[in-house]
């Protein structure tokens, strides 16, 4: 199967976008595509901020790294019919200037949603934004939109989660701005690319108070 260069070629997959997040400043989310590779490589080599602030991105960041990551995103939505990786853009088909994704938990123990009587639907989010756009609210608006509008409303999720390095105050504020609250303040996690443990903190948002009460009681 020939993979699409951008999301304009896809019409039968859920959540491709473009989504209008903000009119002023203009801010859109739309599915990543192979056409985003050159700009993604450029951004991720501007400095090492994204490398230092994430668990998986490499530095130097190569074309092969970007291609593999985007091909995985395309493979996910072509096999499942649902897109979960979006580029932040200033126009519907403009160049990528940030990234946000959601990963669904495949299994969540034996917890059953009080709403659906089916296993709880839980997703984690992750994101980065170009150093050229840091401090302008793009990551915070994207996180809030994905959690509140896409995960909870469009995907019918019960729980949304996110993690950040404990020292990464900016990332923690982004998670808070999405509607999440701190779930745990400190946990050590081994980060393979650094070959060492780093202190992380976790955040969580619940679809509604009924789900929050149910999950909180189940965790005790």
């Amino acid at each position: 199967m020939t993979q699409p260069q951008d999301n304009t070629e896809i019409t039968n997959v859920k959540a491709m976008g473009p989504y209008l997040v903000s009119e002023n400043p203009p801010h859109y989310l739309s599915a990543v595509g192979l056409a985003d590779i050159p700009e993604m490589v450029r951004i991720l080599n501007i400095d090492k901020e994204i490398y230092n602030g994430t668990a998986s991105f490499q530095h130097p960041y190569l074309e092969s790294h970007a291609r593999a990551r985007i091909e995985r995103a395309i493979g996910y939505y072509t096999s499942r019919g649902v897109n979960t990786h979006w580029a932040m853009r200033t126009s519907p088909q403009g160049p990528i200037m940030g990234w946000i994704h959601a990963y669904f938990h495949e299994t969540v123990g034996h917890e059953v949603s009080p709403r659906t009587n089916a296993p709880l639907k839980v997703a984690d989010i992750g994101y980065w934004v170009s150093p050229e756009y840091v401090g302008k609210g793009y990551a915070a608006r994207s996180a809030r939109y994905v959690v509140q509008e896409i995960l909870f409303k469009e995907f019918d999720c019960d729980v949304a989660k996110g993690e950040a390095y404990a020292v990464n105050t900016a990332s923690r504020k982004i998670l808070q701005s999405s509607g999440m609250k701190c779930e745990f303040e400190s946990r050590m996690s081994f980060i393979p690319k650094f070959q060492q443990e780093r202190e992380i903190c976790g955040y969580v948002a619940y679809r509604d108070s009924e789900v929050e009460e149910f999950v909180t009681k189940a965790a005790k």
Side-chain angles (χ1 to χ4, degrees), residues 3 13 16 31-33 66-79 82-86 99 101 103:
Q3 293 187 321
V13 175
M16 295 295 285
V32 297
R67 180 172 296 276
R69 186 169 290 268
I70 291 176
E71 285 181 346
R72 284 196 299 271
I74 294 172
Y76 185 95
Y77 73 62
T78 53
S79 64
V82 177
N83 174 58
T84 58
H85 298 73
W86 301 274
W99 169 295
H101 63 252
Y103 287 128

Side-chain angles (χ1 to χ4, degrees), residues 3-6 31-41 44 57 61 63-78 83 85 87 89 96 99 103 128:
Q3 293 187 321
Q5 292 295 309
D6 60 52
V32 297
L34 297 178
D36 291 315
I37 290 174
E39 183 64 2
M40 187 169 169
V41 172
L44 289 162
F57 283 92
Y61 199 76
E63 187 272 346
S64 59
H65 295 148
R67 180 172 296 276
R69 186 169 290 268
I70 291 176
E71 285 181 346
R72 284 196 299 271
I74 294 172
Y76 185 95
Y77 73 62
T78 53
N83 174 58
H85 298 73
R89 309 181 194 274
I96 186 172
W99 169 295
Y103 287 128
W128 57 261

Side-chain angles (χ1 to χ4, degrees), residues 55 187-198 200:
R187 181 182 297 169
M188 299 307 294
S189 179
F190 182 76
I191 310 299
K193 75 177 185 182
F194 297 129
Q195 286 298 293
Q196 61 182 240
E197 288 192 332
R198 294 284 178 94
I200 62 172

Side-chain angles (χ1 to χ4, degrees), residues 151-172:
L151 292 183
F152 287 159
K153 294 181 181 178
E154 192 167 348
F155 290 170
D156 201 30
C157 278
D158 294 292
V159 184
K161 295 189 173 190
E163 293 182 351
Y165 293 133
V167 297
N168 192 338
T169 303
S171 188
R172 297 180 66 165

Side-chain angles (χ1 to χ4, degrees), residues 43-44 47-54 57 128-131 193:
I43 290 170
L44 289 162
D47 56 31
K48 298 185 76 171
E49 287 301 308
I50 296 171
Y51 169 81
N52 290 329
T54 62
F57 283 92
W128 57 261
V129 67
S130 168
K193 75 177 185 182

Side-chain angles (χ1 to χ4, degrees), residues 77-130:
Y77 73 62
T78 53
S79 64
R80 305 194 184 198
V82 177
N83 174 58
T84 58
H85 298 73
W86 301 274
M88 304 176 201
R89 309 181 194 274
T90 57
S91 63
Q93 298 301 328
I96 186 172
M97 48 85 157
W99 169 295
I100 186 164
H101 63 252
Y103 287 128
F104 290 103
H105 291 206
E106 296 295 335
T107 58
V108 287
H110 300 289
E111 295 177 353
V112 174
S113 171
R115 299 183 306 108
T116 63
N117 203 33
L120 281 172
K121 196 181 237 185
V122 183
D124 292 301
I125 67 166
Y127 45 81
W128 57 261
V129 67
S130 168

